[in-house]
Amino acid sequence: MADAAVAYRYDMPSDLRATVPSTRVGNFESDTPAAESWDELQAGLDRSWIDAGGICERYDAFCALADTARAAWLGWAVARTLHAVPAGDRSAMLIDHLGTKLDIDVAQWWRPTARRYFDRVAKPTILDHFHEVGGAELRSRYSGLKKHDLALSAEKLFGGQIIVEADIKDRAMQWLPDAMRFGPLEDLAPPESEPQSPNGEPASADQQSDLPEAA
């Protein structure tokens, strides 16, 4: 599998392959932390066996690698076979399941930037995201910006490059578009204020049951 992944092998007497799926976006180059980590993983693979000679020599040289080196090749070969699946696609269920099971923190590997996300959505959508992490006040603070400037400001906010309140920064750094999340969606919006009693103090449980319902 590893042998066929590094070069075309006409002499391989096996159909075992770990092929890369066709890309959905032509000539796309990722500059995400995930892509950088992938490049580092590839650069760290022990390639000493590749030029050992014929298929038998390559096989013996590969078997002679340390267990960790062979495991790295296996992980790399299998991981590269996964497809980029659009959100909502039926096959996305398995990708979502794997991401949840492996406890992948997507926010550590991908952050929304103007190029990757904010330039591709409408201005009201960006402002909705500001509201999700900072409430109406943060939305209002940026509502007067033009779309291009708003997208750049959003990139800085959700990349932790704008000085804001600590709780807003924490929510912004964990925020992801729905399509980039694994598992059940978490509500990152600021918590609503507690119900108030007539005297302005937080209402007790008994008092809350007597408060009028919102229309």
Side-chain angles (χ1 to χ4, degrees):
M1 188 164 57
D3 200 28
V6 296
Y8 174 73
R9 303 296 188 187
Y10 66 90
D11 56 350
M12 181 66 67
S14 170
D15 288 331
L16 185 61
R17 297 288 189 273
T19 54
V20 178
S22 59
T23 179
R24 292 179 178 271
V25 182
N27 300 319
F28 178 76
E29 294 184 6
S30 177
D31 59 350
T32 64
E36 294 174 3
S37 181
W38 180 258
D39 289 342
E40 291 177 4
L41 187 153
Q42 291 190 111
L45 294 172
D46 186 340
R47 300 173 181 272
S48 60
W49 61 275
I50 294 176
D51 297 320
I55 186 170
C56 295
E57 289 78 15
R58 293 196 305 273
Y59 176 79
D60 287 342
F62 187 85
C63 290
L65 296 177
D67 289 348
T68 53
R70 284 185 284 112
W73 275 104
L74 177 61
W76 171 81
V78 173
R80 70 201 291 269
T81 68
L82 294 175
H83 290 251
V85 182
D89 190 288
R90 186 173 182 179
S91 59
M93 294 175 60
L94 178 59
I95 302 297
D96 187 67
H97 179 70
L98 291 174
T100 303
K101 189 171 184 177
L102 296 174
D103 196 23
I104 297 175
D105 184 356
V106 181
Q108 295 296 317
W109 299 102
W110 184 92
R111 298 308 303 140
T113 64
R115 171 177 172 266
R116 296 176 200 138
Y117 180 74
F118 296 114
D119 281 342
R120 305 169 186 272
V121 297
K123 178 178 176 178
T125 299
I126 300 177
L127 292 174
D128 285 345
H129 298 331
F130 274 70
H131 189 279
E132 285 182 65
V133 300
E137 194 280 330
L138 186 67
R139 179 190 183 114
S140 176
R141 194 186 307 174
Y142 287 88
S143 61
L145 294 180
K146 294 182 179 179
K147 167 65 187 302
H148 175 70
D149 295 332
L150 181 62
L152 293 178
S153 294
E155 176 177 326
K156 293 179 180 178
L157 172 67
F158 291 93
Q161 301 173 28
I162 289 181
I163 299 176
V164 291
E165 294 83 346
D167 58 333
I168 294 178
K169 182 176 181 179
D170 289 343
R171 284 194 291 269
M173 290 301 294
Q174 287 299 314
W175 181 88
L176 293 165
D178 290 351
M180 295 298 295
R181 305 185 195 184
F182 292 128
L185 301 181
E186 296 180 1
D187 185 4
L188 297 179
E192 297 182 2
S193 57
E194 297 182 76
Q196 302 290 307
S197 65
N199 63 6
E201 297 296 328
S204 66
D206 291 338
Q207 289 173 319
Q208 288 181 27
S209 64
D210 296 330
L211 293 177
E213 295 183 1

